[in-house]
């Protein structure tokens, strides 16, 4: 046990341990198991000498304890996050929850409500983006996607699957009688007596051992969506900020699904509306964050409201700024280009691998090169990697093979860092994510090259243009962040393709 008081505001709590104790015990005796390191469970407590409380916790977690005296205020805030006021926001550990890793009590639909509540709450505590309910031959596996990576949370018996899936289907407005066809649904989940709510999207899929369900949690704390927190270098932040302050034009973000493009666009919108009065309208599928002061339109899955139809209607509302969730087809690309030509600032995303490939993709959609040259102001490629825990990272030298894989053999021997694991990061060694960026600002000279077409604006030539301008590529930004101890070599190699 350490002498310093633990600040739980800086700790990533692991719900696999926190939710093993009854809410009544945790709130009454001010104890909270929050991580397991080297076979011992760390327990934050107001009184580290309260043997009776610690023995009760040890009976629940079934592992040796390591008590940590915590700051009383931060401990109470953590308990409220996990259990809510009076324990109403989370299921009791005795209410059909866990016996070892199995569901206690009747294994039918009777336990579905507390079990579903537990899964939702565990995802919130762990700050997960998805819950995966995967039926297997002998049990059902529950996994949480945290910082883009799947983590095993727990299992429950196959007999309970039907009740859990049916419960989520009822909440999401889906047909509980249909078990042989994929379905989609959604609902808003509220946590106990707190005011916190979260938008949820559901998708079911029939498999060999039963219906698989993926639960996407959309709402996040929008106050954290600022450009400064995304991981941009100072140079990239200046470049991006200058582009979004232009009165009109097209700003496109590229990258695969889950690379943080929408988050960056939201941060840009927050910067703009925080500086002056603007009429901002977004068209999204689905709406992932609610932003005050922005009119948000959701695309209808029945095709009554498509991106193209919505965009044409939006332009009649005299917007200053328009955000399109994704340019998917020639119709949307055409209207977006025309909106940028007629004095609107347009943000959107494309599925391409690099910033220079934006031009190639738009041309493939049928957009004339002269229109791209006239409207495109900035192309940004983005990836997400997990952030190293600054408290437990370990320094080592970059291996020659790693330096070669990163496209920079001369960097071999440089100081880099790898994860270790500690009580602050739930023994993962990595906590949170940050972006890697490649920015291609389009000035007058580059616009002429784009308009020239075959005379020099193909993708390969555009990549060469980045080098001549001294613009950082994705791999360059990644190497800087590896050397700065922000992320790891392995994280970068799984996210970035080195050309």
């Amino acid at each position: 046990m350490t002498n310093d008081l633990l600040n739980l505001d800086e700790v990533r709590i692991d719900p696999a341990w926190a939710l093993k104790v009854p809410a009544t015990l945790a709130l009454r005796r001010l104890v909270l198991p929050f991580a397991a390191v080297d076979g011992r469970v760390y327990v934050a407590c107001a009184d580290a000498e309260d043997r009776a409380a610690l023995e009760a916790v040890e009976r629940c977690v079934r592992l040796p304890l390591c008590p940590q005296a915590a700051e009383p205020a931060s401990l109470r805030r953590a308990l409220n996050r996990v259990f809510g006021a009076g324990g109403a926001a989370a299921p009791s550990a005795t209410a059909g929850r866990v016996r070892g890793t199995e569901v206690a009590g009747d294994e039918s639909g009777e336990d579905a409500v507390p079990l579903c509540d537990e899964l939702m709450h565990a995802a919130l505590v762990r700050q997960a983006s998805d819950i995966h309910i995967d039926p297997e031959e002998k049990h059902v596996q529950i996994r949480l996607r945290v910082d883009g990576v799947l983590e095993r949370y727990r299992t429950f018996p196959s007999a309970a699957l039907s009740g859990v899936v049916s419960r989520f289907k009822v909440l999401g407005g889906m047909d509980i009688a249909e078990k042989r066809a994929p379905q989609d649904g959604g609902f808003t989940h509220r946590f106990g007596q707190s005011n916190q709510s979260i938008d949820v999207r559901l998708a079911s899929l029939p498999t060999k051992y039963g219906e698989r369900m993926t639960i996407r949690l959309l709402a996040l704390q929008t106050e954290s969506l600022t450009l400064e927190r995304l991981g941009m270098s100072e140079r990239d932040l200046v470049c991006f900020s200058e582009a979004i302050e232009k009165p009109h034009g097209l700003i496109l973000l590229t990258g695969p699904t889950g690379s943080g493009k929408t988050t960056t666009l939201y941060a840009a919108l927050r910067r703009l509306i925080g500086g002056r009065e603007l009429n901002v309208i977004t068209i999204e599928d689905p709406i992932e964050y609610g932003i005050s002061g922005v009119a948000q339109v959701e695309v209808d899955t029945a095709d009554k409201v498509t991106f193209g139809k919505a965009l044409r209607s939006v332009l009649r509302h005299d917007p200053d700024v328009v955000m399109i969730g994704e340019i998917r087809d020639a119709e949307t690309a055409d209207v977006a280009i025309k909106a940028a030509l007629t004095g609107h600032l347009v943000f959107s995303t494309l599925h391409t691998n690099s910033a220079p490939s934006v031009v190639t993709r738009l041309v493939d959609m049928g957009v004339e090169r002269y229109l791209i040259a006239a409207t495109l102001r900035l192309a940004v490629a983005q990836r997400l990697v997990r952030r190293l825990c600054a408290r437990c990272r370990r320094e080592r030298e970059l291996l020659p093979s790693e330096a070669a894989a990163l496209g920079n053999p001369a960097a071999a021997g440089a100081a880099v860092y790898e994860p270790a694991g500690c009580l602050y990061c739930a023994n993962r060694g990595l906590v949170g994510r940050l972006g890697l960026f490649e920015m291609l600002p389009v000035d007058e000279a580059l616009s002429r090259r784009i308009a020239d077409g075959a005379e020099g604006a193909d993708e390969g030539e555009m990549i060469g243009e980045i080098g001549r301008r001294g613009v950082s590529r994705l791999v360059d930004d990644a190497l800087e962040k590896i050397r700065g101890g922000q992320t790891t070599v392995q994280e970068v190699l799984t996210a970035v393709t080195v050309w």
Side-chain angles (χ1 to χ4, degrees), residues 83-325:
F83 299 106
S92 167
T94 60
R97 266 192 80 270
V98 181
R99 187 175 292 154
T101 57
E102 305 298 331
V103 174
D106 183 7
E107 295 174 358
S108 65
E110 184 180 345
D111 289 319
V113 173
L115 180 54
C116 291
D117 287 345
E118 179 201 338
L119 298 183
M120 292 298 299
H121 201 76
L124 177 72
V125 172
R126 189 71 185 106
Q127 300 175 33
S129 61
D130 300 86
I131 305 169
H132 294 270
I133 303 175
D134 300 324
E136 299 179 1
E137 183 177 6
K138 296 181 179 179
H139 59 263
V140 179
Q141 182 72 245
I142 303 296
R143 295 182 293 175
L144 306 178
R145 187 173 295 279
V146 181
D147 297 334
V149 177
L150 285 174
E151 295 182 356
R152 291 191 175 189
Y153 172 61
R154 56 164 293 192
T155 64
F156 61 79
S158 298
L161 175 65
S162 178
V164 170
V165 171
S166 295
R167 166 67 174 167
F168 279 122
K169 281 185 173 182
V170 169
L171 292 172
M174 301 158 70
D175 183 358
I176 63 172
E178 178 57 75
K179 299 180 183 294
R180 295 185 294 177
Q183 294 188 66
D184 298 313
F187 63 97
T188 299
H189 185 76
R190 302 187 185 279
F191 289 91
Q193 296 175 352
S194 67
N195 293 323
Q196 188 164 12
S197 64
I198 193 164
D199 289 331
V200 179
R201 295 291 185 272
L202 305 171
S204 67
L205 184 69
T207 69
K208 179 179 180 180
Y209 297 113
E211 284 188 280
R212 184 188 197 279
M213 180 163 280
T214 299
I215 303 165
R216 168 67 57 88
L217 285 68
L218 295 178
L220 297 176
Q221 295 297 320
T222 56
E223 62 267 17
S224 66
L225 297 178
T226 62
L227 292 177
E228 290 76 11
R229 296 188 181 186
L230 298 179
M232 291 183 187
S233 66
E234 185 175 347
R235 178 177 57 189
D236 286 344
L237 182 58
V238 169
C239 176
F240 191 82
S241 299
E242 288 177 351
I244 68 175
E245 292 295 338
K246 294 183 185 296
H248 54 79
L250 183 62
I251 296 174
L252 293 177
L253 272 69
T254 75
T257 300
S259 59
K261 302 184 297 294
T262 303
T263 300
T264 301
L265 290 181
Y266 276 119
L269 293 183
R270 286 178 59 84
R271 167 71 68 86
L272 289 174
I273 63 178
R276 60 185 188 275
E277 285 293 327
L278 292 170
N279 183 13
V280 181
I281 303 178
T282 72
I283 307 167
E284 307 171 59
D285 181 23
I287 295 172
E288 296 192 25
Y289 313 99
I291 299 183
S292 178
V294 175
Q296 297 174 273
V297 179
E298 185 162 285
V299 172
D300 191 344
T301 55
D303 286 338
K304 292 181 180 179
V305 183
T306 65
F307 276 110
K309 291 177 182 177
L311 185 51
R312 292 179 189 278
S313 178
V314 159
L315 295 181
R316 302 188 190 106
H317 290 264
D318 188 32
D320 300 299
V321 181
V322 178
M323 189 195 94
I324 309 166

Side-chain angles (χ1 to χ4, degrees), residues 422-480:
C422 68
L423 58 90
Y424 285 90
C425 59
N427 200 32
R428 267 66 169 188
L430 298 148
V431 55
R433 290 193 285 182
L434 77 157
L436 306 177
F437 297 92
E438 173 182 279
M439 300 206 178
L440 180 61
V442 181
D443 57 15
E444 185 176 350
L446 188 55
S447 291
R448 285 197 297 267
R449 295 181 70 86
I450 293 172
D452 287 342
E455 296 182 11
D458 64 312
E459 189 172 333
E461 185 63 22
M462 293 281 283
I463 292 174
E465 184 68 18
I466 283 184
R468 287 189 291 274
R469 287 165 172 253
V471 176
S472 292
R473 300 172 300 157
L474 270 172
V475 68
D476 298 326
D477 190 36
L479 191 54
E480 285 185 17

